[in-house]
Amino acid sequence: EIVLTQSPGTLSLSPGERATLSCRASQSVSSSYLAWYQQKPGQAPRLLIYGASSRATGIPDRFSGSGSGTDFTLTISRLEPEDFAVYYCQQYGSSPRAFGGGTKVEIK
Amino acid sequence: EVQLVESGGGLVQPGGSLRLSCAASGFTFSSYWMTWVRQAPGKGLEWVANINQHGSEKNYVDSVKGRFTISRDNAKNSLYLQMNSLRAEDTAVYYCARDLYYDGFDIWGQGTMVTVSS
């Protein structure tokens, strides 16, 4: 079973700054089957990135994903007010399709 | 409009049962894997189970194996989660999602709350 560890737990930044979120897997994620989701309070998660680096439909290009093997990164190039939320990584290359514990991006 | 709508949540006593439903619309339901994800109050996301297009392949997280059963009715465009022997730790919002299998979970419902308490 693959365990995903996200860091940091909380990221305090100002609008316009760059956000870098990390997701580390306990073993290699096959074929880069790694996704990132955004969740705002009281809402369902939204798919941002799949295949480690492909943006989902309608996702702005300020969101980018990178990485392979066991180390993955979500980068938000310039934070907009609507980007302050919790972000989860998820591997779906093997069962169970585990999520990481999440990183909260909060306004500094 | 592509949409998933969950129902069936509520308050149940420990050891009890509940059946969740997820109604799909706006896409060809029978062409997709489907999945259930839950989120305990104030906690992160936990993948629960998924099912293939025909209902012939099902996968579960270890904590629900033998207690939960995922199923679907393609004629009714509906996904189900039968939950038996419920425990306090099953208390969560349960989301259904369209599972692209190789491309993540792209469509999510609004969730239905399940509370297990005496």
Side-chain angles (χ1 to χ4, degrees), chain B residues 87-106:
Chain B
R87 306 166 180 167
E89 54 264 36
D90 297 317
T91 294
V93 173
Y94 285 73
Y95 296 99
C96 65
R98 188 170 77 173
D99 186 339
L100 298 181
Y101 202 78
Y102 294 117
D103 294 333
F105 305 160
D106 69 328

Side-chain angles (χ1 to χ4, degrees), chain A residues 1 33 35 37 39 42-47 50-51 88 90 92 95-101, chain B residues 37 39 43-47 50 59-62 95 99 101-106 108-110:
Chain A
E1 177 177 336
Y33 289 145
Y37 299 85
Q39 188 179 34
Q43 295 185 18
R46 177 173 72 144
L47 177 65
Y50 64 91
Y88 295 94
Q90 183 216 12
Y92 51 93
S95 190
R97 298 180 164 209
F99 289 89
Chain B
V37 174
Q39 187 169 37
K43 302 297 184 182
L45 302 172
E46 180 182 34
W47 174 81
N50 68 354
N59 301 291
Y60 300 91
V61 69
D62 282 351
Y95 296 99
D99 186 339
Y101 202 78
Y102 294 117
D103 294 333
F105 305 160
D106 69 328
W108 294 67
Q110 85 288 350

Side-chain angles (χ1 to χ4, degrees), chain A residues 7-106:
Chain A
S7 61
T10 301
L11 201 50
S12 298
L13 295 168
S14 301
E17 290 193 294
R18 181 185 189 90
T20 302
L21 287 67
S22 174
C23 176
R24 178 161 289 178
S26 59
Q27 53 189 285
S28 184
V29 176
S30 64
S31 302
S32 294
Y33 289 145
L34 192 287
W36 290 92
Y37 299 85
Q38 176 194 68
Q39 188 179 34
K40 297 179 181 179
Q43 295 185 18
R46 177 173 72 144
L47 177 65
L48 299 175
I49 301 287
Y50 64 91
S53 60
S54 298
R55 272 187 301 276
T57 303
I59 302 303
D61 60 8
R62 64 179 181 274
F63 291 92
S64 63
S66 62
S68 63
T70 60
D71 289 298
F72 299 88
T73 300
L74 175 70
T75 301
I76 310 172
S77 59
R78 287 178 55 86
L79 283 164
E80 297 288 340
E82 62 268 26
D83 298 337
F84 291 92
V86 180
Y87 293 83
Y88 295 94
C89 60
Q90 183 216 12
Q91 73 81 23
Y92 51 93
S94 62
S95 190
R97 298 180 164 209
F99 289 89
T103 291
K104 181 179 182 181
V105 179
E106 65 175 22

